[in-house]
Every structure is written in structure tokens, then in C-alpha cells.
Amino acid sequence: MKINQFEPKISKKDKLAVSSYLNSGGWLTENKLTKDLENKVAAYVNRKYAIAVPNGTQAIYLSLLAAGIEKGSVVAVPNLTMIATINAVIWAGATPYIVDTDEYLCMDFEKLNKIKNLDAVVYVPLNGRTKNGIDIDRWCKKNNIKLIEDSAHALGSTYENKIMCGGLGDLSIFSFTPHKIITMGQGGMVLTDNKKMFEKLFKLKTFNRMKNKSDWHAGFGLNFKITDLQASIGLSQFDQLNSFISTKKKNYQKLKKIIKNENVTVSEFENYETPWFYDLKFNSKATRNKFFSYMVKNEIETRPHYPCLSKQKYLKGVMSTNLEYSETESDKLIWLPSSTNLKVKEIKLIAETINNFS
Ligand SMILES: Cc1ncc(COP(=O)(O)O)c(C=O)c1O
């Protein structure tokens, strides 16, 4: 049986939650369950306000608008991230500025803090690693630069056990696609402690109605609502969050213990970080690619790391720092199967297959 790089874990409890919602007579659209989910996630990451939206991409876009980012604003993004991070900046009409990453694959603070005239930074705790987040937050505050935390991968990780991911900066976002720490199929959330930003987000999300059920509108607004049907599974998944986090951590430790191959380095995590995907590093892109094909033959699916934004053809010409680290290192990385569904025997098989690679 093939081992997938990722699959969501949908439990009996999740199925019951959805069927009991469907039996409740709810109108499917956003209502009490969505509010419950927003409240639970906000409390978990110590934020005052949360707003559920259809996906993480829209969550970043709306965060930028709420932060006052517009045409002419310059926004720093890391070179290693999923494409949504930079596309949301472009969608908001702003000018992206690509910043190199450090050895933790997060935005390089030394390179960031030399850029002049930034309006905002989107910091990504990539793969649950949080390294420079607190320093960058402090620097942004000092320099009056808005900070948006794209925490799509990092629900349950912390910055040195001091700040939860999703609690950093002016606004932060989560994504709830099937690959994420919890899922509701599609889904996203924006969080903030700033009442004005929250109100702006709420207006943008709900057609800017003058009051509930009114067809008079105080200004421009669109529809970024989710459904209580999604929230029913989101809440059930959220109740299992601690178990997902501990399984992710335990499986990572098991893999790390068995893997012994001089061609391969298992990338490290701190104990206050939750590994989203288990990443391996090789000494070259060629070896990484050879390993990918070797694993395909062994019916184990892996996933090459995100390529650098700077290597996407359509982003050619975007302003950037020197990108030496991310451009030389990212092609050596691969993600192993990382589902919480993995069985002990599958973890052993993955690790032993890695040990036999030469
Ligand atoms: C770092 C990062 N940001 C944003 C997103 C976009 O989230 P969504 O797919 O929910 O739109 C993703 C999706 O994988 C992501 O990995």
C-alpha cells in the first residue's frame, strides 16, 4: 500500500459532528458554530478577535486591507513560502519585497532590518518553525511597520513558549485545508487584538451592511463568509488539536531516532514548535531528486520543498534582498509523509527505506 505524503485524519467524532449539525435544522450558512470556532481559536492563541473566512489566501488579503496596505505600499515576504503569501500582497495592489531566509527557513532578520521604507512585513513561521518572530515583531513595532503573521502551517507552535503562533503582530492568519494542523476542507481565519482592524474586517466580510439583515450598506464590502457546516467539522477537529500536536511530535521523534544515513540530515525542531511536515536535507539538489524517485519506486510519496518565490518566472523583477541562502539551500530539501494517520509500522518502513538509500 502506497504511503501518501499527507492525508487528513477524519475521525468518527468529526463525522458525528457533521451529521448532528445536519440533523439540527441549521441553515448551513455561517451562524453560531462559526462564532464558537472563532472564539475557541482566539482564546487558544490569546487574541481578542477572530474572523473566519473561506481560506488562508483571502485571510492574508483581508489582513493587508485591514492594516491599511494599498497601492504603493511595500510589503516584505520571505523567499520560502507557499505562493499565497506573495499573491495576496499583489492582489492587495501593494509592491512585494522578497527577503532571504535563514537556516531555519524563516525570514532573515539581519537582511530584513536593512530595508528602508517598508510598510508591512508578512512573517511566515514556515513548517511550524518560529525562530526570529519575536525579534521581527519588536523591530516592526519600533519602526512603525505593520506585521502580519502568516501562520497557515503553525497552529499549536509557539515563539519560545512565550507567544502562540497566531498571536504575533498586528494581525495573523490560519488556513484549514486538508494539509493543515486542523481542517474543515477549506477555511481560514484572521486574528487581531485591534478593535478597529476587526471592525474593518467584519465590514469587508459581510457586505458592510448597516445592520444585520439590512439591505443598506455603509460602504464597500464583499462576501467572505464560511458555513456552519464547515465550522461543525472545524470545531470537532479543534477539540482534537492537542492529540494532533502530540502525534506530530511523537512521530517526528520516532523517525529521527531510526534514520541513520550519512547522505541525509533530519531537520531539527525546538520542543516549543510543532513539526507540520518532516523535512530532510541532502547535500545537493541532484541527490534530493534521486531520493524522490527512489521513494516513488518504494511507493512512498514525498514532496519537494516549496521552490523559492524568486525562481517563479512571473515574479521575475520583484525587489529583493540578496537571496543566497534560500536559493542555494531550498532545492536540497524534501518533505516526508507527515500525516497524523501514520502507523508505527509505516514510520519504521519510511525510516528504513531512507536508511537503504545511497
Ligand atoms: C504559508 C501559507 N500561507 C498561505 C496559504 C494559503 O492558504 P489557503 O490554501 O487556505 O488559501 C498556505 C496554503 O498552503 C500556506 O502554506
Side-chain angles (χ1 to χ4, degrees):
M1 272 281 278
K2 185 181 164 221
I3 301 177
N4 290 322
Q5 194 276 325
F6 200 83
E7 51 191 59
K9 186 168 188 173
I10 306 302
S11 63
K12 270 194 196 143
K13 195 173 168 299
D14 297 326
K15 291 175 194 164
L16 255 171
V18 175
S19 62
S20 83
Y21 174 70
L22 286 172
N23 288 324
S24 75
W27 281 19
L28 307 181
T29 189
E30 196 177 294
N31 202 348
K32 185 179 171 306
L33 296 193
T34 303
K35 195 79 234 135
D36 287 352
L37 183 64
E38 289 170 339
N39 289 342
K40 283 196 172 177
V41 176
Y44 181 73
V45 302
N46 278 319
R47 282 289 204 192
K48 285 194 184 136
Y49 307 104
I51 283 231
V53 294
N55 56 55
T57 309
Q58 291 173 10
I60 306 170
Y61 169 69
L62 291 168
S63 301
L64 291 160
L65 298 195
I69 297 306
E70 56 189 10
K71 193 165 188 291
S73 306
V74 181
V75 182
V77 296
N79 201 20
L80 289 180
T81 182
M82 198 253 170
I83 204 71
T85 314
I86 190 165
N87 280 354
V89 173
I90 296 169
W91 190 16
T95 305
Y97 197 120
I98 300 175
V99 181
D100 202 8
T101 60
D102 56 22
E103 65 199 283
Y104 306 101
L105 310 177
C106 291
M107 189 179 270
D108 185 320
F109 180 45
E110 295 308 314
K111 290 186 178 166
L112 172 72
N113 71 25
K114 294 192 178 58
I115 307 171
K116 302 271 181 287
N117 301 324
L118 278 180
D119 296 289
V121 172
V122 185
Y123 181 77
V124 184
L126 193 84
N127 202 7
R129 293 195 178 90
T130 56
K131 271 300 160 180
N132 275 327
I134 291 182
D135 289 340
I136 290 179
D137 184 36
R138 224 176 268 140
W139 178 78
C140 284
K141 281 195 180 103
K142 197 170 143 212
N143 291 285
N144 202 18
I145 294 167
K146 294 283 186 300
L147 178 63
I148 291 155
E149 183 201 22
D150 174 356
S151 211
H153 300 169
L155 179 64
S157 267
T158 79
Y159 295 90
E160 300 169 22
N161 280 326
K162 292 179 190 148
I163 301 174
M164 297 294 296
C165 282
L168 195 82
D170 297 282
L171 299 125
S172 34
I173 74 100
F174 288 120
S175 157
F176 304 123
T177 59
H179 295 81
K180 301 304 178 342
I181 307 279
I182 64 168
T183 186
M184 44 195 212
Q186 293 285 337
M189 200 169 279
V190 186
L191 299 110
T192 182
D193 293 320
N194 183 308
K195 191 161 183 241
K196 282 209 173 112
M197 288 185 185
F198 168 73
E199 285 168 351
K200 192 165 172 186
L201 286 163
F202 187 77
K203 285 178 186 165
L204 278 168
K205 166 178 165 168
T206 58
F207 294 119
N208 205 344
R209 288 186 195 280
M210 291 184 104
K211 53 182 185 198
N212 197 14
K213 297 194 175 173
S214 159
D215 281 318
W216 289 100
H217 304 269
F220 181 78
L222 291 165
N223 176 1
F224 293 98
K225 289 188 278 280
I226 63 160
T227 66
D228 264 19
L229 186 58
Q230 287 167 285
S232 68
I233 189 161
L235 279 165
S236 168
Q237 288 260 308
F238 184 82
D239 286 345
Q240 299 160 79
L241 176 61
N242 287 340
S243 119
F244 291 153
I245 292 171
S246 76
T247 305
K248 289 231 170 228
K249 288 184 170 177
K250 268 190 227 148
N251 287 352
Y252 166 70
Q253 292 301 339
K254 280 183 199 148
L255 275 168
K256 205 168 91 160
K257 211 166 150 195
I258 316 175
I259 297 173
K260 285 192 178 55
N261 182 329
E262 60 184 17
N263 295 308
V264 172
T265 312
V266 184
S267 303
E268 292 294 329
F269 287 90
E270 302 291 345
N271 60 13
Y272 50 78
E273 296 167 338
T274 304
W276 174 57
F277 284 174
Y278 309 126
D279 38 10
L280 285 190
K281 192 165 183 179
F282 296 84
N283 52 16
S284 70
K285 179 179 178 178
T287 324
R288 193 270 312 257
N289 292 349
K290 188 174 152 200
F291 176 79
F292 177 82
S293 307
Y294 163 81
M295 293 299 264
V296 170
K297 276 193 205 113
N298 284 282
E299 299 206 22
I300 299 174
E301 186 185 38
T302 60
R303 177 171 168 179
H305 195 279
Y306 297 135
C308 291
L309 296 180
S310 56
K311 293 191 179 170
Q312 302 281 355
K313 278 201 184 124
Y314 81 101
L315 294 174
K316 211 166 166 250
V318 170
M319 285 190 292
S320 74
T321 64
N322 165 313
L323 300 172
E324 197 182 343
Y325 187 85
S326 47
E327 288 194 342
T328 44
E329 300 306 312
S330 59
D331 288 344
K332 300 177 187 169
L333 293 161
I334 208 158
W335 284 314
L336 294 176
S338 305
S339 314
T340 46
N341 278 340
L342 283 176
K343 299 184 182 68
V344 176
K345 67 174 192 234
E346 289 175 321
I347 293 174
K348 278 196 187 139
L349 179 68
I350 295 163
E352 280 157 13
T353 310
I354 294 170
N355 290 350
N356 290 331
F357 172 71
S358 57

